[in-house]
Amino acid sequence: MTERAVQRCISARCGATFPVRESLVACPRCNNLLDVDYDWSGIKLSWEMFTRRATTTGPRNTAGAEATPAMLDFSGVWRFRDLLPFYGDERTIVTIGEGRTNLQRADQLAKVIGLAPGNLFLQYEGFNPSGSFKDNGMTAAFTHARMIGAARVACASTGNTSAALAVFGTLTGIKCFVFIGDGKIAYGKLSQALDYGATTLQIAGDFDACLSRIRHIAEKRPDVGIYLMNSVNPFRLEGQKTIMYRVLEGLDWEVPDWVVVPGGNLGNCSAFGKAFIELHALGLIKRMPRLAVIQASGSRTLDRVFNDLGVRWTPENGLRGSWDEAAIDREYARMDAANERAKTVATAIEINRPVNLPKALRALHAMNGVVRAIDDETIVEHKALVGRYGFGCEPASAASVAGARLLVQEGVIKPGERVACVLTGHLLKDPDVTVRYHTGETAGAHANRPIRVPDDLDAILKAMGA
Ligand code: F0G
């Protein structure tokens, strides 16, 4: 395949391009974010071809091996490979069978949050091999890392990125490092990084501090040779676009009215925006869904920038555009002066300096989006509701359902509209929060307390209501 992809700066003022085979953390000219941008000319795509691939049979090997068409078609990411054609040779794609996730129609939960039956869908990204949506991005970033011969990869993480990085690192034999904030990680996630064998550095600081350190090392210390795997890496976002392709697939290629997603570092919402912009340009969809990005009240930088400060994206040329960079700088300076730190029970989104903020503004513009923030108590309550009426999720993921409910109450989402909430991580990622909710002194409204019983048949039967 000839190369039809470049890396391009998102700032319309700059718009510099760089070859796809370079390892870059940001635009070397102006330090803004980069996109993977494609020349789509001559490409003809149809949903039917992706549907057909879902039935391909053949051997499905592991990441060390050369990828076969059967392996790629098995993957919920690479089944859509024509929509992320940055890789050179199909055989070099790194896949571990990621992205085989489920869109569940959740009628009971729809009723609770005020939507008509058949209108609430939950996209369970916790069903990925490492238990979160991150595998969608890692498979793409590892493919790029392998393309350019990276020997060492690293990330800062609140947990899920490190778990995904570690499993891909181990299976591909690429040395990996994870930086996590001391005490800022749920045990379910820390245990994965350790089990998968990543070199794990617990830094005395939070996620924002970890990311700034590893970014510095990746950019300023080429002697260490680190390939950065955080979502500032545009190849990761290419993989995360496929979450939306699977939502469409689950709806038989119909576009929902709303996509609701939690926002932390804002990689997902950015990827979703790019996915829909491209699908629209390619003629694969006729209308755009609306986007709702839901943050935690204790880490609501996008909410402040978008709703309080009114900062917006102005599109200028394709994917490029402009935004009030000075307003964001001023807001960060204010946060520094006030020593504001992110704080939420949803540790996965406990992030105050979201690196993808300008791309999130682009997504909000393209998808006529809204942003809301939800307090911790409400997040945990909705986590319990997803558990009660669905397959469960981790706290950060439940922000999406809580946000959808708030938007229904506000009348922004109409009861008859079709809503897809993205559940980003698995229930078992943060069992401490779950058990505290059900058993703690301040157990919540939907608590399901275990019943303590003596080892006595009559007492047991009584407790069973028999
Ligand atoms: N949900 C979960 C379960 C996450 O792990 C994350 C991010 C998010 C939502 C936020 O997604 O950054 O795309 O807005 N977790 C990162 C990590 C930061 O290190 O695992 P985003």
Side-chain angles (χ1 to χ4, degrees), residues 112-406:
V112 175
I113 73 167
L115 287 169
N119 278 355
L120 177 65
F121 293 83
L122 304 177
Q123 176 68 19
Y124 283 93
E125 288 303 310
F127 292 180
N128 270 289
S130 82
S132 87
F133 75 91
K134 303 285 179 181
D135 293 350
N136 293 288
M138 278 306 159
T139 186
F142 266 87
T143 296
H144 184 246
R146 184 141 94 179
M147 260 168 81
I148 66 170
R152 311 167 117 200
V153 300
C155 69
S157 182
T158 59
N160 282 323
T161 305
S162 63
L165 174 102
V167 75
F168 276 92
T170 307
L171 293 175
T172 51
I174 297 182
K175 169 91 185 138
C176 54
F177 298 89
V178 305
F179 284 32
I180 56 175
D182 206 9
K184 298 275 184 184
I185 183 168
Y187 263 28
K189 306 175 190 183
L190 178 59
S191 61
Q192 287 182 284
L194 300 177
D195 231 21
Y196 297 144
T199 301
T200 305
L201 278 66
Q202 271 187 287
I203 313 281
D206 60 9
F207 173 84
D208 297 305
C210 290
L211 182 54
S212 129
R213 288 283 177 203
I214 191 61
R215 208 174 153 159
H216 175 87
I217 295 171
E219 272 179 302
K220 306 280 192 266
R221 293 293 305 268
D223 54 311
V224 188
I226 289 294
Y227 180 96
L228 187 66
M229 284 287 179
N230 281 97
S231 58
V232 66
N233 177 331
F235 295 91
R236 261 210 34 207
L237 301 194
E238 288 308 292
Q240 288 170 216
K241 292 191 307 193
T242 65
I243 300 169
M244 289 301 107
Y245 308 152
R246 295 196 297 276
V247 166
L248 294 177
E249 185 179 41
L251 296 174
D252 207 16
W253 311 115
E254 278 180 24
V255 178
D257 296 301
W258 285 90
V259 170
V260 189
V261 62
N265 226 359
L266 307 178
N268 258 340
C269 58
S270 299
F272 299 172
K274 184 168 187 277
F276 284 113
I277 291 169
E278 290 172 344
L279 291 179
H280 197 259
L282 283 163
L284 280 164
I285 56 170
K286 297 276 174 290
R287 69 180 176 95
M288 299 289 258
R290 294 189 69 186
L291 174 69
V293 183
I294 313 299
Q295 300 206 281
S297 304
S299 57
R300 50 175 286 263
T301 306
L302 177 69
D303 182 36
R304 264 199 318 273
V305 165
F306 189 75
N307 289 324
D308 302 354
L309 304 179
V311 178
R312 294 289 184 273
W313 172 267
T314 309
E316 287 185 31
N317 192 348
L319 290 165
R320 280 156 283 165
S322 58
W323 63 99
D324 189 346
E325 296 176 49
I328 295 171
D329 290 346
R330 278 197 303 276
E331 174 60 9
Y332 284 178
R334 186 199 62 75
M335 284 160 62
D336 278 345
N339 197 22
E340 267 179 30
R341 294 275 170 268
K343 182 106 196 75
T344 166
V345 66
T347 50
I349 51 173
E350 192 173 60
I351 296 170
N352 252 355
R353 300 288 182 117
V355 291
N356 288 298
L357 200 146
K359 286 185 178 175
L361 294 175
R362 177 173 74 190
L364 288 162
H365 171 85
M367 299 173 70
N368 189 15
V370 298
V371 182
R372 294 292 183 272
I374 301 287
D375 65 58
D376 279 5
E377 203 183 317
T378 312
I379 288 178
V380 176
E381 184 196 341
H382 286 79
K383 194 196 87 66
L385 286 169
V386 174
R388 179 67 55 87
Y389 297 116
F391 304 135
C393 66
E394 68 161 282
S397 315
S400 62
V401 175
R405 184 185 207 167
L406 175 67

Side-chain angles (χ1 to χ4, degrees), residues 61-64 71 74-75 78 93-100 128-130 135 138-139 164 167-169 171-172:
N61 290 314
T62 54
M71 282 165 68
F74 180 73
S75 162
W78 298 107
I93 289 175
V94 176
T95 174
I96 61 169
E98 59 289 315
R100 294 184 62 86
N128 270 289
S130 82
D135 293 350
M138 278 306 159
T139 186
V167 75
F168 276 92
L171 293 175
T172 51

